[in-house]
């Protein structure tokens, strides 16, 4: 994420492309250095953030200086079940609004838990199981058990002292109970923490395994799976994520909804098969379109972390208006006038050529 990039070195494309050797020599790609090693700076435009968020459309990043975060001395993981998704999401918003320090906060709907349970019987769902190390398997030596199929909230607390961490845990637990949370469990040792969070850690491959078929052929794969991405204000998170989960059920689409609930970012993992009907694929696309439009309608964004790419360009004008698109186009034309860098990504220069600026 751009918040963790302090400085970078990048190669910016030439502004002139010519068959004339002398002209080309004078207009070689420009190597630039943006940012500093200081933890904060207000000098000039925020160019490290600009390049980091440009998805390779303004230059090629060759070196990065990252912000380092200390490993906390005390870590406690927790989980809590809820009777409905809306209550779980409301608990998240209240935890944040009350200022309870939470280092990680993840929300899983019923379909997510069902996918985890299903993966236990199939032997799927291990994080990148093809390359998972033996030591990782040893760390997860605790026997994983199927979970009650209820919306789940996963929390992690970290700090310099056990006392402060346990105080934060108690505050979060109290809020969860206010929203009818139950079966609140927590652990501090590494092995138990990993087991407690297993449903979240294994979710991606567990979701794909929901549409596995006998044998190795014909089942859903990572390439045939649509992972959605949107982010909304925390005050709207419960309504939007609940409406999205309802869409998945009503459209008859298979896949879980989950969220990095602490910042309002949420996703659906919607596995598809190569031989799925056109109608089914259109339903998957409609779920995605609905959640994006719903997110933007409450002041959210069409992408919280995955980026615009080629597929979400159409939403940018709705978010920023023609003026915002024109400014982005002006930046693109200034740094990459020949449209060499990931052409067609984020912006279509031909489509915005008649806009002001």
């Amino acid at each position: 994420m751009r918040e963790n990039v302090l400085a970078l070195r990048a190669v910016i494309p030439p502004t002139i492309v010519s068959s004339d050797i002398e002209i080309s020599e004078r207009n070689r790609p420009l190597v630039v250095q943006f940012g500093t090693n200081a933890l904060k700076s207000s000098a000039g435009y925020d160019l490290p953030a600009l390049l980091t968020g440009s998805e390779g459309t303004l230059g090629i990043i060759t070196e990065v200086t990252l912000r380092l975060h200390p490993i906390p001395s005390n870590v406690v993981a927790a989980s809590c079940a809820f009777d409905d998704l809306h209550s779980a999401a409301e608990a998240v918003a209240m935890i944040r609004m009350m200022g309870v320090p939470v280092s990680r906060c993840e929300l899983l709907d019923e379909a997510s838990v069902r996918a985890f349970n299903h993966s236990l019987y199939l032997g799927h769902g291990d994080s990148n199981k093809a390359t998972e190390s033996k030591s990782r398997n040893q760390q997860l030596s605790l026997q994983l058990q199927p979970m009650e199929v209820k919306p789940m909230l996963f929390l992690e607390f970290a700090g310099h002292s056990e006392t402060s961490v346990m105080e934060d845990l108690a505050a979060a637990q109290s809020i969860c109970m206010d929203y009818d949370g139950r079966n609140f469990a927590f652990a501090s040792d590494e092995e138990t923490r990993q087991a407690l969070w297993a449903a979240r850690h294994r979710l991606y491959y567990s979701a794909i395994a929901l549409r596995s078929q006998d044998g190795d052929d014909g089942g859903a794969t990572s390439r045939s799976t649509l992972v959605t991405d949107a982010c909304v204000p925390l005050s709207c998170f419960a309504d939007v994520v609940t409406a999205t989960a309802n869409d998945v059920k009503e459209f008859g689409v298979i896949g879980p909804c989950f969220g990095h609930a602490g910042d309002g970012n949420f996703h659906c993992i919607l596995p598809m098969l190569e031989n799925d009907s056109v109608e089914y694929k259109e339903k998957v696309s409609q779920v995605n379109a609905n959640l994006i439009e719903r997110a933007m309608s409450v002041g959210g964004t069409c992408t919280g972390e995955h980026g615009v790419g080629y597929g979400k360009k159409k939403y940018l004008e709705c978010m920023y208006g023609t003026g915002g698109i024109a400014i982005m186009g002006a930046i693109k034309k200034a740094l990459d006038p020949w449209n060499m860098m990931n052409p067609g990504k984020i912006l279509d220069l031909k489509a915005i050529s008649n806009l002001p600026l």
Side-chain angles (χ1 to χ4, degrees):
M1 300 292 285
R2 70 189 75 189
E3 294 83 3
N4 289 312
V5 176
L6 295 175
L8 57 82
R9 183 184 294 269
V11 179
I12 306 300
T15 57
I16 299 176
V17 175
S18 173
S19 59
D20 187 304
I21 296 178
E22 183 177 349
I23 294 178
S24 296
E25 283 293 320
R26 292 201 308 267
N27 290 277
R28 289 187 175 188
L30 181 65
V31 178
V32 295
Q33 176 76 37
F34 296 144
T36 71
N37 291 341
L39 293 179
K40 61 186 297 187
S41 174
S42 59
Y45 299 130
D46 192 357
L47 297 178
L50 176 65
L51 264 290
T52 302
S54 69
E55 301 182 30
T57 61
L58 301 179
I60 299 173
I61 297 174
T62 60
E63 295 180 17
V64 178
T65 301
L66 298 176
R67 183 188 305 271
L68 298 181
H69 296 271
I71 298 176
S73 304
N74 296 272
V75 179
V76 175
S79 65
C80 185
F82 292 81
D83 287 329
D84 61 89
L85 185 61
H86 197 274
S87 295
E90 284 187 314
V92 172
M94 183 56 66
I95 288 171
R96 290 300 305 273
M97 285 191 288
M98 292 295 291
V100 179
V102 180
S103 57
R104 286 198 294 170
C105 181
E106 300 281 326
L107 176 66
L108 273 61
D109 70 348
E110 292 181 13
S112 301
V113 178
R114 194 175 294 113
F116 169 71
N117 291 345
H118 180 66
S119 74
L120 295 181
Y121 295 109
L122 292 178
H124 292 168
D126 282 322
S127 170
N128 198 6
K129 56 185 172 60
T131 59
E132 189 174 36
S133 66
K134 291 183 179 179
S135 61
R136 173 68 169 167
N137 283 327
Q138 291 169 354
Q139 287 179 343
L140 292 177
S141 60
L142 288 180
Q143 182 65 39
L144 298 178
Q145 299 293 331
M147 300 170 63
E148 182 183 11
V149 181
K150 294 285 186 181
M152 295 290 299
L153 188 59
F154 294 89
L155 303 164
E156 188 174 271
F157 306 88
H160 69 282
S161 74
E162 181 180 357
T163 300
S164 64
V165 170
M166 295 307 295
E167 287 176 351
D168 297 337
L169 173 74
Q173 182 178 7
S174 177
I175 292 172
C176 288
M177 296 304 103
D178 289 341
Y179 288 90
D180 299 324
R182 52 196 178 85
N183 298 332
F184 192 95
F186 62 92
S188 58
D189 65 282
E190 174 71 12
E191 190 176 43
T192 310
R193 284 194 285 114
Q194 293 296 332
L196 199 63
W197 270 64
R200 173 63 188 94
H201 292 158
R202 297 158 61 101
L203 182 57
Y204 179 69
Y205 290 101
S206 296
I208 294 176
L210 285 172
R211 304 206 65 198
S212 63
Q213 295 183 347
D214 293 336
D216 295 330
D217 299 326
T221 67
S222 57
R223 295 189 65 179
S224 66
T225 297
L226 174 65
V227 182
T228 70
D229 173 43
C231 190
V232 298
L234 272 177
S235 59
C236 305
F237 179 70
D239 291 339
V240 174
V241 73
T242 301
T244 300
N246 289 338
D247 266 1
V248 172
K249 294 177 183 177
E250 292 173 4
F251 279 96
V253 170
I254 297 174
C257 295
F258 69 102
H260 315 307
D263 55 14
N265 193 194
F266 70 98
H267 312 279
C268 297
I269 302 175
L270 306 175
M272 290 181 282
L273 308 178
E274 289 187 7
N275 60 355
D276 273 338
S277 66
V278 173
E279 180 184 7
Y280 185 85
K281 293 178 180 178
E282 287 177 347
K283 288 180 178 179
V284 171
S285 297
Q286 191 60 52
V287 168
N288 186 36
N290 286 357
L291 77 88
I292 291 174
E293 291 170 6
R294 199 175 285 123
M296 293 191 301
S297 72
V298 297
T301 173
C302 65
T303 174
E305 57 190 13
H306 295 174
V308 173
Y310 300 100
K312 293 187 175 181
K313 292 184 291 186
K314 60 184 177 181
Y315 298 111
L316 289 185
E317 185 170 347
C318 179
M319 289 181 60
Y320 302 129
T322 55
I325 298 299
I327 290 174
M328 285 190 278
I331 294 172
K332 170 70 171 174
K333 290 176 183 177
L335 296 183
D336 182 23
W338 293 91
N339 200 20
M340 296 178 177
M341 309 303 300
N342 280 344
K345 206 172 189 181
I346 300 182
L347 299 169
D348 285 317
L349 288 185
K350 291 183 179 179
I352 63 175
S353 59
N354 295 324
L355 293 177
L357 296 180

